[in-house]
Amino acid sequence: MSSSPPIVITGFMGSGKTTVARTLSRALNCELVDLDRFITEQTGRSPKEIIEQDGEPAFRTVETDCLRTVLAGELAHVIALGGGAWTIAANRDLIHEYNALTVWLDVPFSLCWQRISASGGKRPLARERDQAHSLYLSRRPLYELAGLHIEANEGLSDQEAAARIASALTQR
Ligand code: S3P
């Protein structure tokens, strides 16, 4: 287990988890792990490919395995989850075992959708606006379980979001 607890960033697809996590990891001078990227490196396939070829349940198994590996790593780190990872109870239990600071980047659906649709079909679970919106609404109560809630609309810069997280860390 790493010496200082990890910071785990969650939020819907298109909420800017990776960008905020990168800014934060630079500010704290610690390692950043983007779980989707880690999955791609470990399996040779992107989350999109795994979901399309093997289905979502198979992807969730891979995701949990990779999350376990990342959390067990030696270095203190900032972890950006994929948007569905936190919604799985087993993943939340795992994250709690490591005493992580968990952060929900709460971004309005319109902004998430703008980014999702601009990313060109990268997200198989959000192909249609209505489908994505239902998922967004159904996941909110689960994101609310995160320790720190950051309302991140267009008015909040990545630096400001990262500064809020860093400040919450010092108050733990
Ligand atoms: C997913 C979000 C994606 C990726 C996969 C499933 C989800 O990550 O893990 O397509 O269920 O919300 P991003 O949140 O980085 O898009």
Side-chain angles (χ1 to χ4, degrees), residues 12-20 105-123 126 152-158:
F12 198 65
M13 294 172 257
S15 59
K17 299 178 290 292
T18 303
T19 315
V20 169
L105 278 187
D106 179 11
V107 171
F109 177 72
S110 54
L111 182 53
C112 291
W113 179 249
Q114 206 176 299
R115 292 171 178 160
I116 292 168
S117 47
S119 71
K122 214 177 82 180
R123 289 150 168 129
N153 57 28
E154 271 156 308
L156 190 82
S157 69
D158 299 330

Side-chain angles (χ1 to χ4, degrees), residues 55-77:
E56 186 184 349
F59 170 68
R60 296 299 171 202
T61 302
V62 173
E63 184 177 52
T64 298
D65 288 347
C66 285
L67 177 62
R68 187 177 292 111
T69 304
V70 168
L71 286 167
E74 290 293 303
L75 298 169
H77 42 223

